[in-house]
Amino acid sequence: MQEYLRKIQLFASRLADLDEHNISANAKTYLSQIEFAAKRMQTLIRYLLTYSRTNLAKCVFVNVNPDDIAKEIKNDFPECIEEKTLS
């Protein structure tokens, strides 16, 4: 997928650099949209690859008591809770 994306980016940049003065404003807009979309796709591919490499078997899940968590939050943020209660 990355190789095809690189080709799209390469051809779009070549078209943009080919003859800047002879390209219409619409064509320049389309080329910039292609380049922007390709950058977004590159980011999505990178995130997907990172996600696919995560191994859930290494994660250890522990049961917790939600009441204990609520007490910790109340103890750690009493000012914020008071402000929200008064609003």
Side-chain angles (χ1 to χ4, degrees):
M1 285 175 63
Q2 291 186 58
E3 183 60 31
Y4 297 119
L5 185 58
R6 280 193 280 270
K7 286 183 180 182
I8 291 169
Q9 290 172 321
L10 175 70
F11 291 133
S13 69
R14 282 186 180 173
L15 282 174
D17 295 339
L18 188 62
D19 194 0
E20 259 184 53
H21 304 292
N22 291 334
I23 297 176
S24 69
N26 282 342
K28 287 180 183 179
T29 302
Y30 292 144
L31 286 172
S32 67
Q33 289 176 350
I34 290 170
E35 290 173 350
F36 182 71
K39 286 179 185 176
R40 284 195 327 241
M41 181 61 80
Q42 189 173 28
T43 302
L44 290 173
I45 290 171
R46 195 174 328 116
Y47 287 159
L48 182 61
L49 287 172
T50 301
Y51 177 75
S52 70
R53 291 181 185 132
T54 59
N55 187 355
L56 296 179
K58 293 180 183 177
C59 295
V60 177
F61 297 98
V62 179
N63 288 328
V64 294
N65 185 346
D67 293 331
D68 293 339
I69 295 173
K71 287 176 188 175
E72 286 181 36
I73 292 171
K74 286 181 182 179
N75 290 335
D76 290 343
F77 302 102
E79 297 87 10
C80 293
I81 294 171
E82 188 175 328
E83 283 179 17
K84 298 294 180 186
T85 305
L86 294 176
S87 306

